[in-house]
Amino acid sequence: MFRNKKYLTFTLIVITTLILSACGAGDTQDALIQTAVAETVAAQSTEPPATQPPAETLIPTQTPFQMPTSLPTLPSPVNTGNSARFECAKASLQDETVIDGIILKPGEQFTKTWYIQNTSPCTWDTNYKIIFWDGNMMGGGYYYNLPQVVAPGATIPISLVLTAPTADGSYRSEWKLQTSDNINFGVGLYNASFYTDISVSSAEKPAFGITSVNLYVTREPKTGCQPANMVFTAYAEVSTSGPHEFTYYWGQKDGNNSSPKTVFINSSTTTTYTRVWQFGRAASQGNKWFTFVITEPVYREYKVDFVFECP
């Protein structure tokens, strides 16, 4: 709109100038014309400028994500103690045959059996192995495949046919398990090896010793939570091959262990030793255990677990 007014004013000035020029106007008219032109120019300079669009406001943006042309090489995983493959390497020794310390003739063959529980969440297949770990192989092989599949929580008897060395002395043969991806493991919290200890004697009348220990627990009353105290009794049935002296003590989970005691058995027999532990209702819940520990002449430890629960 301001542009149209500017052109109209200019047109009028031009026309006026032509008319006055035609009429022969003098200096006065020229002055008037110059004044009018000056006013017109001044008026044009005061007109508001045309409206311009506002300058764009720049908003900073993040650098676009670019996929790398090559990915870095990651280090191989390490054992953190809780990865899935190591979870399969867990076991517990439940029982065994051929008491440790048994006396054998040189070269005598015997069968040792360990009853081992699969305490892992994995199923052990026959690619798992029983491997020689330390000590004397006693005629065994370096490894054997598990004879059967073992489900989580199941117990498998592992039997090895072994042969006593030909020289007199005491010998130990230690073994462990191995997963299908070559992880070696033992039994219990510390992955201990399971083993057999024997003595070899060529004497006509060798020294006698303990041949077996059978450890078990009974409860009175057998069920319920009355009377006020429930009585658990541990029994250790100790068999010997002849006259024999040894020292033992009882252990309990609560630390209330007995004092060591030395006994002498004068014949080949089985003798039973007992230990009593009483509980009130407040002591219920959770696993408990007894141990029967022989300290002399050869250290041996036997353990039995039990559970006391009252609703």
Side-chain angles (χ1 to χ4, degrees):
M1 183 177 68
F2 289 108
R3 182 178 297 176
N4 293 337
K5 287 182 179 180
K6 178 174 67 176
Y7 287 143
L8 179 59
T9 304
F10 182 79
T11 302
L12 291 176
I13 292 171
V14 172
I15 293 172
T16 304
T17 302
L18 292 176
I19 293 172
L20 293 174
S21 298
C23 295
D27 294 337
T28 302
Q29 286 84 359
D30 292 339
L32 291 173
I33 292 170
Q34 292 176 1
T35 300
V37 172
E39 290 176 353
T40 301
V41 173
Q44 290 177 358
S45 64
T46 59
E47 290 178 0
T51 303
Q52 299 293 331
E56 293 183 358
T57 302
L58 298 179
I59 301 176
T61 59
Q62 294 180 343
T63 303
F65 174 74
Q66 299 291 330
M67 285 295 293
T69 56
S70 63
L71 295 175
T73 301
L74 297 177
S76 300
V78 296
N79 176 18
T80 59
N82 56 5
S83 59
R85 59 196 298 263
F86 286 90
E87 284 297 310
C88 298
K90 293 181 179 179
S92 173
L93 178 63
Q94 300 297 305
D95 201 0
E96 60 185 306
T97 65
V98 183
I99 190 69
D100 289 332
I102 188 173
I103 301 173
L104 301 173
K105 292 290 186 181
E108 183 177 350
Q109 193 174 78
F110 66 102
T111 300
K112 175 75 178 188
T113 301
W114 299 274
Y115 294 89
I116 294 182
Q117 183 183 26
N118 177 2
T119 56
S120 80
C122 310
T123 296
W124 299 347
D125 58 27
T126 54
N127 290 320
Y128 277 64
K129 294 179 177 65
I130 308 148
I131 62 170
F132 174 70
W133 189 251
D134 198 9
N136 191 292
M137 291 182 66
M138 297 187 189
Y142 281 103
Y143 71 87
Y144 303 88
N145 287 82
L146 282 187
Q148 65 189 62
V149 174
V150 188
T155 298
I156 181 176
I158 294 177
S159 298
L160 298 182
V161 178
L162 303 174
T163 303
T166 56
D168 288 5
S170 297
Y171 299 90
R172 171 177 286 201
S173 185
E174 299 185 21
W175 301 79
K176 281 194 174 186
L177 299 174
Q178 186 181 85
T179 67
S180 55
D181 50 358
N182 300 322
I183 298 173
N184 301 328
F185 65 104
V187 293
L189 180 62
Y190 300 106
N191 277 320
S193 59
F194 45 96
Y195 57 86
T196 184
D197 274 332
I198 66 169
S199 294
V200 176
S201 176
S202 57
E204 287 292 330
K205 294 182 178 181
F208 297 107
I210 295 173
T211 57
S212 68
V213 174
N214 181 33
L215 190 60
Y216 61 94
V217 174
T218 63
R219 171 186 168 173
E220 290 295 335
K222 292 181 172 57
T223 60
C225 294
Q226 297 297 333
N229 292 324
M230 275 56 71
V231 179
F232 287 80
T233 304
Y235 296 84
E237 297 176 342
V238 180
S239 299
T240 58
S241 58
H244 186 62
E245 183 179 272
F246 64 94
T247 302
Y248 76 92
Y249 72 88
W250 285 99
Q252 298 178 183
K253 184 179 181 180
D254 65 352
N256 185 25
N257 302 337
S258 72
S259 299
K261 184 177 182 180
T262 300
V263 296
F264 178 78
I265 299 174
N266 60 11
S267 63
S268 176
T269 186
T270 298
T271 306
T272 301
Y273 304 90
T274 61
R275 175 74 170 176
V276 174
W277 192 358
Q278 293 186 350
F279 296 95
R281 182 187 296 271
S284 67
Q285 308 301 323
N287 293 329
K288 297 174 173 56
W289 47 257
F290 284 104
T291 55
F292 184 78
V293 182
I294 298 173
T295 59
E296 297 289 344
V298 180
Y299 183 90
R300 298 290 180 266
E301 183 175 321
Y302 307 88
K303 180 181 178 182
V304 60
D305 295 290
F306 64 96
V307 176
F308 172 46
E309 293 183 348
C310 278

